[in-house]
Each structure stands twice: as structure tokens, then as C-alpha cells.
Amino acid sequence: MTQAIIQFPRGFLWGTATSAHQVEGNNTNNNWWAWEQQAGHIDNGDKSGLACDWWGGRWKEDLDRAVETGQNAHRFSIEWSRIQPAPDQWDESALERYRAMLRGMLERGLTPMVTLHHFTNPIWLEEQGGWENDDTPQKFAAFVRKAVQALKEYVSYWVTINEPNTYAVAAYKAGEFPPGKKSMSAYLHSSINLVRAHAMAYRIIHEIQPEARVGLSMNYRSFFPATSSPLDKLVAGIQAAFFNDVFPKAAQDGKVRFLYRTINIPEAAGTQDFLGVAYYTRDRVSFDLASGAAMFGRRHFPKDADLSTNGFLANEPEGFHEALKWGLQFNVPMIVTENGIEDTDDKVRPRFIAQHIRQLWSAVNYNWPIKGYFHWSLVDNFEWERGWAQCFGLWGLDVETQARIRRNSVDLFADICKHNGLSSSMVEKYCPEVLQKIFPD
Ligand code: BGC
């Protein structure tokens, strides 16, 4: 077959994404560290421990890997509990460490994107009630002011809060993240405070750095009716409105729409310069009276789904197209802030990458304003309540020895980044089984 190539616009950002607690190690001052010490919270009793030892300096070798494999950007997060270990204490040396990391990215030609909150809180904040405390947005704002002042010369893309939808659900409604609450009212309350915090952070960043680009990273999950029955459609629509829409709509028009009520937060209107889209998978949703807690929508993967190692995700590239189409309604540029799969043996990942890049290209080709793609993740890292069992890295990690293990997907992603596109010969080489799907004769 003649080689076919799909190409991305010049200047497209290609990178990987990480987060502080998942890669740094020894984050002893945050709520996750404390949570990990208590039995029953993390699968297999795993602990983040040294993680990928980025705080010990291994960020350098990992960023070398990123740049040697053609990446031109990196998304990471800074850890609030390091910068403000106590309410009245700022740790300038932690800020200096982040400045060094940012210089390291720029010296390597990696455009940084910095997330200010990625699922963790300082222990002192958690003890004051975390995101259920109405003073928390103000405290977050003070941290943002301090961090942005210190780092602004190196950063132009800021994500205020990573996946506030995932965070509010997991921490306050599903009980999977600390503080482990299972309460609808705690979920609503914390969501409102997350919106307020985002709005404050947006304004502070622009006050300090008017030219900055500021946004949220949203976890878009595709909820697809399992059948054409109106009841399946209804419950799938409810799940989508509940999980996907609340935060970016609030950042657009200042209205937080929960299923049965709307709360006005006018200062949140117009607070996104870009939309971060994190997409992993699509659920089928069936109406089910027994699924009351899930608003009568039972979520499942189809029987023949292309599943990840632990069955946690299914490879569903059409849902990625849907995610990007959904993002258009917010009328701002989009950046894919996360996309990836847990796949220890790298069996599914090559086709997952190729098929998702194909969807991304068709969206770019419709002229949808998409500026970059960050794969989750660079190296296997601490997967929250799932511990070390799920391997999302292009590189694997031996947690005992800190050795990095190069997976085949490294070379596929490197080819994509270096060529700013995907070709049929790459697909033939790394995942021939999907050649006809991606480049039909
Ligand atoms: C989170 C990451 C996490 C990834 C894979 C995303 O929702 O932002 O922190 O590692 O999912 O589970």
C-alpha cells in the first residue's frame, strides 16, 4: 500500500502529563500520604513512597526521555503542601525546586503546562474541612498568588484545577479519595467551592500575568445508551450532564447546574481561555432500577470491548471524537490534557494511541481549535486508590529499583511527535491489526 500520512498543524503541542503526588515521592505533608498509611484505602496496601523519585531529581532523566522521543511540551503539577506546609508558612526552597524544574523543561525545548491542584490538599487544609469549608477557595487563591508570582516567568499555560468533576465525585460522593465521604450534599458543596476557587485563581493569574492562558482540565467520559430505548437514553443523558457538563458550563456562564437546581456564581462566568479535555473511555449505560445510587444508570463495557489490563478502561476511540465535539460548545481553544490506558504488557496501548490520534486528526481537520495532545503518562506512576497495579506509562517503572522500562509505545509516540503526524507505515509497524480501520484501502 502507498504510504498514507495524516499531518497536524505546525506548532502542535505533543507531550505527556504527570502530577506531583504521582511522581515526586515523599509527599508526606498532604492528605493522600496520610490516607495511604491507613489500611483498606489503597489496593494491595500500596503506598506512593518514593513514587518516580522526581523530588529526588529523577525528573531530569525522565524529561530527557521525553525530549529524546520528540516531545515538545510537558504537563505537570505543583504540590500545594510543599509550598505552603503550614497555614502561615511558605517554603521558598520548594518554589526554587519548581523553578529549576521549569528551567529544565525550557532548556530541553519542552513547553510547560502547570496544574495548580491535582487531587491533593495540604493536611492542614484537610483538617479544616477541605473543600467543604467555604474559606478554602480564599486559601487556594493565596497559594495561587504565591505560586504564580514565583513561576510566572517560565509558564504561560495554567490549569487551575485538575478534573474537578473526578475529584468532587471521588472524594465526596464515591468515598474513593480522601476524605472518603459518600454524601451528595458534600459533593454539591465541594463542587461549588471548587468553582469559586477556579474563578478566583483565574482572576489572580490574569492580574499577575495578563497574557497567561488559564483553564480547567475536564475529565470527559462518554456515556453511551446501551440500546435505543428512551430509558437508556434518558439515564445516559443524566450521567453526562452530571459528570461532564457542570464545571465547564459554570466557567462559561457562571451557573452551576445540578440536576434539580441551579446556583449562580457570577464571578465564574468567562473564566476559561482554553478547555483542557482528558478522555479515557466510554461507558454503555442501561436503565436499571437497582442502580439507585448511580441515578438508575448502570454503567458497563460491551462484551467484546478492547479492555485494559485490569478491565478498568475500554479502548473506545469514537468517544474521543465525541469529547472533542462536546468541547466546541465552550468556544475556546482545546488542549487534550490527558489520554491513555493502563496496559502493563503494552498490548493495547499501541493501537489505543494510533486510533485516538486518528480521531484527534479528524477533529483538527474539521478545523476544531485543538492546540495540543498530552498522553497520560510518561512513566508508570502512583495511581491513587489503585496504587501501583495500573501501568499508564509509555515507560514502565520498577518501583523497587527505580529502573525505567521502555515499552514499544515509546517508539510509536516518538514517531508521531517527530513527524507531527501518523503514517500507515507506523501503524503497520506497531499495530497492524488496526491498519484497515485507520487507513482503509
Ligand atoms: C487523573 C490522573 C490519573 C489518570 C488515570 C486522570 O483522571 O487526572 O491523575 O492518573 O486519570 O487514572
Side-chain angles (χ1 to χ4, degrees):
M1 164 184 179
T2 323
Q3 204 192 117
I5 301 177
I6 57 181
Q7 203 73 46
F8 285 81
R10 199 179 312 158
F12 200 76
L13 296 176
W14 290 107
T16 48
T18 57
S19 90
H21 187 72
Q22 294 178 273
V23 297
E24 286 181 355
N26 280 332
N27 255 314
T28 54
N29 223 355
N30 74 24
N31 59 338
W32 267 91
W33 187 273
W35 182 252
E36 289 161 28
Q37 311 312 311
Q38 296 157 21
H41 288 155
I42 315 292
D43 291 354
N44 308 313
D46 286 352
K47 296 191 166 112
S48 55
L50 258 193
C52 307
D53 195 24
W54 274 31
W55 203 249
R58 283 184 208 265
W59 60 268
K60 296 188 190 111
E61 52 165 287
D62 284 336
L63 294 184
D64 285 345
R65 291 184 174 92
V67 79
E68 279 160 25
T69 52
Q71 299 173 33
N72 61 18
H74 186 72
R75 172 177 176 232
F76 76 118
S77 77
I78 57 173
E79 175 61 39
W80 183 357
S81 66
R82 288 198 193 276
I83 294 169
Q84 193 178 10
D88 53 357
Q89 193 190 339
W90 298 104
D91 186 338
E92 299 296 336
S93 70
L95 282 167
E96 193 42 59
R97 202 78 83 96
Y98 286 122
R99 286 165 63 86
M101 245 184 233
L102 283 162
R103 279 194 297 273
M105 287 180 204
L106 293 172
E107 280 159 18
R108 287 169 176 78
L110 297 168
T111 299
M113 172 182 264
V114 178
T115 305
L116 293 155
H117 185 277
H118 196 127
F119 295 170
T120 59
N121 300 318
I123 289 178
W124 60 262
L125 189 96
E126 197 83 344
E127 285 173 354
Q128 293 173 2
W131 289 90
E132 287 180 278
N133 184 332
D134 294 340
D135 294 334
T136 289
Q138 201 66 53
K139 290 176 182 152
F140 179 66
F143 155 68
V144 169
R145 184 176 291 282
K146 181 78 183 172
V148 174
Q149 292 280 15
L151 308 179
K152 62 174 188 291
E153 68 186 281
Y154 306 119
V155 185
S156 35
Y157 289 105
W158 298 96
V159 171
T160 55
I161 298 171
N162 178 67
E163 301 182 4
N165 53 344
T166 311
Y167 175 67
V169 167
Y172 293 100
K173 187 172 167 291
E176 294 159 344
F177 286 9
K181 293 233 167 146
K182 293 187 182 173
S183 145
M184 191 58 146
S185 68
Y187 161 79
L188 298 182
H189 194 171
S190 60
S191 298
I192 289 167
N193 281 333
L194 286 161
V195 172
R196 291 176 54 224
H198 163 76
M200 287 182 196
Y202 179 90
R203 290 188 206 293
I204 288 168
I205 300 171
H206 276 292
E207 182 194 313
I208 300 173
Q209 208 189 346
E211 74 288 1
R213 314 313 292 151
V214 185
L216 286 163
S217 176
M218 286 307 306
N219 183 348
Y220 181 91
R221 191 144 178 139
S222 169
F223 298 103
F224 206 72
T227 70
S228 55
S229 115
L231 283 175
D232 285 357
K233 285 187 187 161
L234 177 72
V235 287
I238 291 174
Q239 301 260 342
F242 178 78
F243 192 70
N244 295 328
D245 294 349
V246 172
F247 289 93
K249 284 197 174 163
Q252 186 179 35
D253 64 8
K255 292 187 196 316
V256 183
R257 296 172 184 80
F258 293 121
L259 301 171
Y260 46 92
R261 57 192 266 233
T262 299
I263 291 121
N264 285 318
I265 306 186
E267 68 273 24
T271 57
Q272 54 194 351
D273 304 323
F274 67 86
L275 176 73
V277 178
Y279 172 76
Y280 285 90
T281 200
R282 162 181 274 179
D283 289 314
R284 299 297 187 279
V285 188
S286 303
F287 174 73
D288 183 353
L289 279 176
S291 301
M295 295 169 290
F296 304 108
R298 186 172 49 81
R299 288 153 47 173
H300 49 98
F301 295 134
K303 285 202 177 57
D304 58 350
D306 189 16
L307 291 179
S308 63
T309 306
N310 295 282
F312 181 67
L313 300 169
N315 174 20
E316 292 275 359
E318 286 78 16
F320 191 29
H321 177 87
E322 181 191 299
L324 297 167
K325 190 168 181 192
W326 163 86
L328 285 175
Q329 66 184 295
F330 303 107
N331 288 320
V332 287
M334 285 182 264
I335 297 180
V336 178
T337 38
E338 291 181 31
N339 175 238
I341 187 160
E342 51 103 8
D343 184 24
T344 314
D345 299 326
D346 211 41
K347 287 188 185 133
V348 181
R349 189 179 287 103
R351 63 175 171 269
F352 178 99
I353 292 178
Q355 290 179 282
H356 284 75
I357 296 303
R358 169 68 179 79
Q359 294 294 339
L360 182 65
W361 173 80
S362 74
V364 168
N365 230 28
Y366 290 141
N367 246 344
W368 298 354
I370 303 163
K371 305 297 174 198
Y373 172 93
F374 291 91
H375 190 78
W376 188 276
S377 182
L378 181 54
V379 186
D380 289 346
N381 54 52
F382 184 71
E383 269 301 325
W384 307 113
E385 81 284 10
R386 287 155 276 127
W388 292 104
Q390 297 196 355
C391 299
F392 277 87
L394 293 174
W395 272 268
L397 174 76
D398 181 328
V399 183
E400 301 303 316
T401 64
Q402 284 294 324
R404 272 59 175 164
I405 302 138
R406 192 184 179 104
R407 296 193 169 111
N408 271 340
S409 293
V410 168
D411 298 310
L412 168 59
F413 194 56
D415 272 358
I416 293 169
C417 299
K418 287 179 182 166
H419 292 93
N420 198 25
L422 176 76
S423 71
S424 53
S425 57
M426 294 177 203
V427 177
E428 261 177 316
K429 183 168 170 197
Y430 297 103
C431 43
E433 70 279 11
V434 289
L435 183 64
Q436 277 304 313
K437 281 191 181 155
I438 298 182
F439 294 108
D441 286 337

